[in-house]
Amino acid sequence: MIAAADGGTLFLDEISDMPADLQTRFLRVLQEREYRPLGSTQTIKANFRAIAATNRSIPEALAENRLRSDLYYRLNTFQIEVPPLRKRREDIPPLIAQFVRQFSQQLGKPEPDVSPDAFQKLLDYSWPGNVRELQNAIEYAVVLAREGVIGVKELPAEIQLPPALQQTELGGLPRKGVQTLDDLERNAILQALPNAVGTRKKRPNCSGFSGHPLQQAETLRD
């Protein structure tokens, strides 16, 4: 990693999650400006610019010994604090456009439009997971999008909640993160069930899925 950054920039994301022994080794590299590759007996001069980031409170990370104080002070030559996404909502529309374009290309789908109601939901949401949560939400919506439109029902369930209920429903609970394809399939089936009519054998036709996952979804629903 250090060799690859030679002459350039080494970016360390979530520095406070780095194991303590690695923090110690990295501090030594920063102080001595040299390192020894794995399996080698020779030291090599290190020539790179280090940038570190964390989404944790730095005072808390220091107090909990998640981040070594000597490493922090060695890195803290210049500090930039990026406000959470909820405090810079003007960034949300261009991020939505970028992620819709990105995931449409990755999935080989036509780029869907975002309905006004869905767009407002995305603007109103508090985004406790910041840009990564927005990215995951848009990927989820692009996967589910049909007829070229992302509506409210294509958004993750927590974003569909009214703003007044979001903290009540989600406060203190672990976040789901990226959902698996099985999760997406079950959610898509559950969305299709209320519009289905007739016997269980006929219901899968409206969603395009086979009877087996539908039975699993109905079991979950019951």
Side-chain angles (χ1 to χ4, degrees):
M1 180 175 65
I2 295 175
D6 186 61
T9 300
L10 178 64
F11 177 60
L12 300 169
D13 197 10
E14 304 300 350
I15 185 70
S16 60
D17 291 337
M18 180 185 288
D21 61 328
L22 287 183
Q23 291 190 33
T24 301
R25 293 184 211 174
F26 188 63
L27 175 61
R28 188 178 302 120
V29 172
L30 291 176
Q31 291 174 335
E32 300 176 2
R33 286 292 175 181
E34 61 183 21
Y35 67 98
R36 187 171 63 187
L38 185 64
S40 175
T41 58
Q42 295 182 335
T43 58
I44 298 175
K45 290 294 182 182
N47 176 29
F48 62 89
R49 173 177 54 193
I51 298 177
T54 180
N55 65 355
R56 296 181 182 274
S57 164
I58 292 178
E60 288 181 7
L62 292 170
E64 296 171 358
N65 293 320
R66 290 180 173 272
L67 177 62
R68 288 182 57 123
S69 58
D70 47 3
L71 176 58
Y72 167 68
Y73 292 120
R74 187 67 182 83
L75 286 169
N76 192 31
T77 304
F78 185 79
Q79 187 175 127
I80 300 174
E81 183 175 352
V82 180
L85 189 57
R86 66 180 177 275
K87 293 186 178 180
R88 47 190 175 95
R89 296 188 183 275
E90 67 278 5
D91 290 346
I92 294 177
L95 286 171
I96 292 173
Q98 167 61 28
F99 292 145
V100 168
R101 186 179 312 112
Q102 172 187 332
F103 292 118
S104 296
Q105 292 174 354
Q106 289 181 7
L107 295 169
K109 299 179 65 173
E111 189 173 322
D113 295 323
V114 181
S115 73
D117 288 344
F119 190 80
Q120 192 61 50
K121 285 285 187 183
L122 293 168
L123 287 178
D124 291 341
Y125 186 60
S126 60
W127 299 111
N130 290 299
V131 175
R132 286 175 181 159
E133 185 181 12
L134 174 60
Q135 183 179 22
N136 290 341
I138 297 301
E139 181 177 15
Y140 177 96
V142 171
V143 169
L144 292 183
R146 300 191 179 182
E147 299 179 359
V149 176
I150 293 175
V152 173
K153 67 180 182 179
E154 279 75 50
L155 300 178
E158 58 268 25
I159 299 175
Q160 296 184 36
L161 290 172
L165 296 178
Q166 287 172 3
Q167 291 185 350
T168 302
E169 294 290 334
L170 299 174
L173 296 178
R175 302 195 62 77
K176 294 180 180 178
V178 180
Q179 293 185 309
T180 66
L181 287 176
D182 286 342
D183 293 331
L184 293 175
E185 184 177 271
R186 288 188 182 94
N187 287 337
I189 293 170
L190 290 174
Q191 289 179 4
L193 282 174
N195 298 321
V197 294
T199 66
R200 178 178 294 186
K201 184 177 294 185
K202 292 181 180 179
R203 285 182 184 176
N205 294 334
C206 67
S207 61
F209 295 112
S210 63
H212 179 62
L214 178 66
Q215 291 170 2
Q216 291 180 341
E218 288 190 330
T219 300
L220 289 173
R221 197 179 183 193
D222 294 339

